[in-house]
Amino acid sequence: MNFNTGTALLDAVVLSVVAQEGTYGYKITQEVRAVMDISESTLYPVLRRLQKDGLLETYDMEFQGRNRRYYKITSNGMIVLDNYRKEWIDYRSSLDKILLGRTQE
């Protein structure tokens, strides 16, 4: 069973992946797809939107004779990611209470 992936959760996962090690688009899509059932074509518009919103920056570097676009999280992106992480902890705790019949320890 797959749970629906909302925009906020997808944004949080993408920001988290980029925050770990500023990286390039294809690698980001592979890491996100390892934990979420989402098409690669869906992720590039997310990256562009996060960049437009000032949460990600891009820079190009040559790799094996070709230009590769890298993504880096901005300071505003880190603030948003920290908020997502706090909200996730609360959300997960609430779900645990309902689904597992217990509180987070």
Side-chain angles (χ1 to χ4, degrees):
M1 168 186 251
N2 290 325
F3 294 97
N4 287 337
T5 304
T7 302
L9 181 58
L10 181 57
D11 288 358
V13 170
V14 170
L15 288 172
S16 185
V17 167
V18 175
Q20 292 173 19
E21 60 171 85
T23 187
Y24 57 97
Y26 178 76
K27 187 170 183 199
I28 296 167
T29 62
Q30 295 308 303
E31 290 188 32
V32 172
R33 290 180 74 199
V35 297
M36 300 175 108
D37 185 24
I38 192 153
S39 71
E40 188 173 322
S41 63
T42 300
L43 290 170
Y44 282 98
V46 171
L47 289 168
R48 284 192 295 274
R49 181 175 47 74
L50 293 173
Q51 181 185 2
K52 181 180 158 241
D53 292 346
L55 306 179
L56 296 178
E57 296 176 339
T58 61
Y59 59 96
D60 294 337
M61 284 182 52
E62 185 179 326
F63 178 78
Q64 296 180 348
R66 295 174 49 186
N67 238 9
R68 180 182 277 175
R69 176 147 296 164
Y70 288 83
Y71 294 84
K72 177 182 169 191
I73 194 165
T74 64
S75 57
N76 284 341
M78 281 305 301
I79 292 168
V80 169
L81 177 57
D82 286 342
N83 287 333
Y84 278 139
R85 287 174 171 164
K86 289 172 188 167
E87 289 175 21
W88 176 255
I89 290 168
D90 292 341
Y91 181 69
R92 186 183 65 203
S93 177
S94 296
L95 283 177
D96 282 350
K97 288 176 188 176
I98 293 170
L99 294 175
L100 304 175
R102 62 179 170 86
T103 59
Q104 189 70 24
E105 298 172 16

